[in-house]
Amino acid sequence: MKIAVVGTGLIATYALPNLAHWGWDVVAIVGTERSAQKTRELAASYHAQAFTSYDDFLATVTAASTAADAPVAAATSASATAATLSCDAVYIAVPNHLHYQLTLQAIRAGLNVILEKPFASNATEAFELACAARNAGVFLLEAITTLYQPNYRKLQEWLGRIGQVHIASTNYSQYSSRYDAFCAGTILPAFDPAKAGGALMDLGTYCISWLVGLFGKPASVHYEANIERAIDTSGITTLDYGDFKAVAIAAKDCGAPTSNLIQGTKGYLIQELSPSVGGAVTLHLNDGTEEHFDAALSNRMEAEFCEFARIIRQNDYAACEHRLEQSLVIAQVLTEARASAGIVFPADERSN
């Protein structure tokens, strides 16, 4: 399976060394003029083609499924290659506020897209992307590690053994080195409302995904946030599921041990580590029975990228649609939570 990686930041460089082991052949690295040197260095490391313009890349690339029928074309861009580049998917790993536009362009070019979390800046953008992908007949998948971990699947399997759920909670609090810069007056994308940043959209996305993957869409959502300079640096989201309540804590301005806990009438479930990693699971029943399970993979991104390769290779549109619906619910919960805290992104103003 051939993949083009769009973005040269931390998450992209974390995935790149392992993609070949997960069934992917990296054929292109797409950066910007600003990151031109890094883009060329990464491309050389993986024997891939380098692009410093997304438009040039789109003008050159063809979906692998149609490449065999497409004529070899002469390059018209100075940075394009002499022949059409084919790929099975593009992995878009750029700042949050760019997700919508770059993904929409890729879909319109007939490309399958793996989109780094969060899916979009708000629910309206997410819905429009989903509609565009469905209409174009391409795969659109959110890279949210939480939902694909083997330990998370065991958590789902054991959920029925603890009886009626009454309380669920997850906490992902990690002090960010970018917070120091933020306090000093330097606003990086992670804390920039103009770029759809904030604790909820970063760490909180994992927490909300962890809950939605287990319990679906809540009846209501409320976010109590610590806000500085119009952005949330930490906060607590409460989700009302009617007959039980859930809490998601995310913080970038302070740290704490991560915890994931589900409490029921017959016992409880604990999952270690952050919801982005999905550590070992322990089942404890009221009668004293205790069981442990741990099938954690060495890299937290492995499970999702292996599944993405399978879905696209086997044309499993049903699996894609299931994941797409989950992404839309997560985007809706995140949007409602932000709105309750008065946090506004430029995308919200365009959607109104």
Side-chain angles (χ1 to χ4, degrees):
M1 299 290 286
K2 299 178 181 179
I3 193 168
V5 176
V6 181
T8 59
L10 182 62
I11 194 67
T13 55
Y14 182 72
L16 273 167
N18 303 285
L19 286 172
H21 301 295
W22 303 336
W24 295 97
D25 176 21
V26 179
V27 296
I29 306 291
V30 186
T32 63
E33 290 293 344
R34 182 180 174 184
S35 64
Q37 181 175 347
K38 185 176 183 181
T39 301
R40 287 192 289 268
E41 290 173 353
L42 284 172
S45 297
Y46 296 99
H47 307 289
Q49 296 175 23
F51 293 85
T52 56
S53 163
Y54 189 58
D55 289 339
D56 286 348
F57 163 71
L58 290 178
T60 305
V61 72
T62 300
S65 59
T66 60
D69 301 322
V72 175
T76 58
S77 166
S79 64
T81 58
T84 298
L85 171 72
S86 70
C87 69
D88 296 282
V90 292
Y91 171 44
I92 296 180
V94 297
N96 298 347
H97 69 298
L98 299 175
H99 286 192
Y100 174 76
Q101 186 58 44
L102 269 60
T103 301
L104 191 60
Q105 287 178 259
I107 290 170
R108 288 173 175 169
L111 301 172
N112 299 314
V113 179
I114 297 168
L115 176 58
E116 187 55 46
K117 68 86 191 168
F119 198 65
S121 296
N122 63 20
T124 299
E125 286 190 348
F127 179 75
E128 290 177 0
L129 290 178
C131 288
R134 288 162 175 160
N135 291 337
V138 300
F139 291 101
L140 175 58
L141 295 153
E142 181 181 15
I144 177 71
T145 55
T146 305
L147 304 177
Y148 294 88
Q149 304 295 346
N151 288 341
Y152 187 76
R153 294 199 298 270
K154 179 58 69 173
L155 195 68
Q156 292 172 312
E157 177 188 329
W158 279 354
L159 187 59
R161 296 179 63 183
I162 63 171
Q164 173 61 49
V165 173
H166 279 214
I167 297 289
S169 61
T170 176
N171 183 338
Y172 193 177
S173 297
Q174 181 177 311
Y175 189 85
S176 172
S177 59
R178 296 180 180 91
Y179 183 64
D180 292 335
F182 176 77
C183 292
T186 301
I187 311 301
L188 298 171
F191 289 103
D192 191 347
K195 296 182 179 177
L200 180 66
M201 294 294 282
D202 185 7
L203 305 183
T205 299
Y206 293 112
C207 297
I208 298 301
S209 299
W210 190 84
L211 291 168
V212 167
L214 292 168
F215 306 114
K217 185 178 180 179
S220 63
V221 182
H222 187 75
Y223 186 39
E224 291 287 349
N226 293 315
I227 297 177
E228 302 176 46
R229 300 175 189 169
I231 198 66
D232 56 314
T233 57
S234 58
I236 300 171
T237 306
T238 55
L239 299 86
D240 188 345
Y241 280 93
D243 53 359
F244 74 94
K245 315 303 176 190
V247 176
I249 301 172
K252 293 174 71 66
D253 56 5
C254 57
T258 57
S259 61
N260 310 282
L261 176 64
I262 308 169
Q263 301 165 230
T265 54
K266 295 181 180 179
Y268 59 84
L269 286 161
I270 297 177
Q271 184 172 34
E272 298 175 3
L273 306 179
S274 74
S276 68
V277 175
V281 178
T282 297
L283 167 71
H284 184 94
L285 300 179
N286 293 346
D287 64 6
T289 299
E290 193 163 277
E291 296 180 34
H292 303 275
F293 179 85
D294 188 8
L297 300 171
S298 59
N299 187 296
R300 65 187 178 90
M301 301 179 77
E302 178 178 352
E304 60 178 357
F305 271 91
C306 288
E307 177 64 359
F308 297 154
R310 185 201 67 78
I311 287 173
I312 295 172
R313 184 174 57 250
Q314 297 180 5
N315 286 318
D316 192 344
Y317 283 98
C320 178
E321 184 63 25
H322 170 67
R323 294 301 185 182
L324 194 53
E325 285 296 327
Q326 282 185 322
S327 293
L328 292 177
V329 172
I330 294 164
Q332 185 64 47
V333 171
L334 291 170
T335 301
E336 292 178 10
R338 279 195 304 105
S340 72
I343 301 166
V344 180
F345 295 157
D348 303 323
E349 297 171 344
R350 290 194 298 268
S351 299
N352 293 332

